[in-house]
Amino acid sequence: MVWRTLFRSAVVGKGCQSRIEKPRQAEQFCSPSRWPLSGENPWLPNNRMTAVARLRSLRRRLGTDEQLCCKRRNFMDDLLTKGYARKLTEDEAAARSPRTWYLPHHGNFHPHKPRKIRVKLNSAALRDGVSLNSQLNRGPDLTNSLLGVVLRFRRERIVLAADIQSMFFQVKVPAEDADALRFLCWEEADFRKPPKEYRMVSHIFGAKDSPS
């Protein structure tokens, strides 16, 4: 509506119009971005059993909430379909390194969007007093000042605002860092089978290094 009101007399080519009206599935736009680790050789204890315990607690919750179970399954399927995460092979799952870490995860509905689920991969979970966040340096504060935003809105007659969908997922993680982003999950939400091992290949929201 805003576009048609402001540019009613403008001639827009078909190609341009399709890009305006239809959201595009952008390709992941960044080359792999290294993590700002607090040291060259971070120490991460084996926390797989912690992740297993959290998963059992999550299974009990999902068993009593069908809507949450369905929404969460769709979210996890979306991660795999869009290439933000992948299932590990048996050999990859058996391999361990000093950077191997399992991210517990849980899901909640957005307080202002009751139909939208937020699945958080918890980088603050502790094992022996250590968390993934404790091994990362803090990311930069990239928040624009409110005064600057207001002033820039007054510079021109027309203002366009945009948002990058799933911004952090668009940034790849190098293979040497990605092993710290493992997580356990059931295939097809079948709780009768043992969970499989997966690994994020993109940066996650909420980690200490994520810019604010």
Side-chain angles (χ1 to χ4, degrees), residues 12-22 24:
V12 181
K14 292 183 179 180
C16 181
Q17 187 173 7
S18 65
R19 289 195 296 270
I20 294 169
E21 295 179 351
K22 297 180 181 179
R24 295 177 60 192

Side-chain angles (χ1 to χ4, degrees), residues 21-41:
E21 295 179 351
K22 297 180 181 179
R24 295 177 60 192
Q25 178 61 45
E27 296 181 0
Q28 291 172 318
F29 55 83
C30 285
S31 59
S33 176
R34 292 301 307 272
W35 271 15
L37 296 167
S38 57
E40 292 185 4
N41 299 305

Side-chain angles (χ1 to χ4, degrees), residues 112-201:
H112 302 299
K113 302 175 183 177
R115 296 183 179 180
K116 184 175 181 180
I117 192 173
R118 294 165 48 172
V119 175
K120 180 180 180 182
L121 294 163
N122 189 1
S123 56
L126 292 169
R127 174 70 180 188
D128 297 335
V130 178
S131 71
L132 179 60
N133 276 350
S134 71
Q135 303 298 307
L136 296 172
N137 289 318
R138 186 171 298 281
D141 183 1
L142 301 180
T143 306
N144 292 318
S145 71
L146 182 58
L147 177 60
V149 172
V150 172
L151 290 176
R152 285 192 293 275
F153 260 73
R154 296 176 61 86
R155 289 180 61 183
E156 307 292 344
R157 293 180 59 190
I158 300 169
V159 176
L160 299 179
D163 182 37
I164 300 176
Q165 187 177 29
S166 305
M167 174 181 170
F168 289 104
F169 288 161
Q170 306 299 331
V171 184
K172 289 284 192 177
V173 174
E176 56 267 35
D177 294 334
D179 209 40
L181 297 177
R182 292 192 188 193
F183 63 93
L184 302 173
C185 190
W186 303 277
E187 280 190 297
E188 299 180 355
D190 189 347
F191 302 145
R192 297 168 297 179
K193 297 180 180 179
K196 300 296 183 180
E197 296 204 8
Y198 296 82
R199 184 169 70 191
M200 295 294 298
V201 297

Side-chain angles (χ1 to χ4, degrees), residues 61-78:
R61 183 183 176 194
L62 295 177
T64 60
D65 192 330
E66 184 177 352
Q67 183 184 15
L68 177 63
C69 182
C70 180
K71 293 282 187 180
R72 182 191 165 280
R73 176 183 175 179
N74 292 339
F75 180 90
M76 303 307 281
D77 288 345
D78 200 47

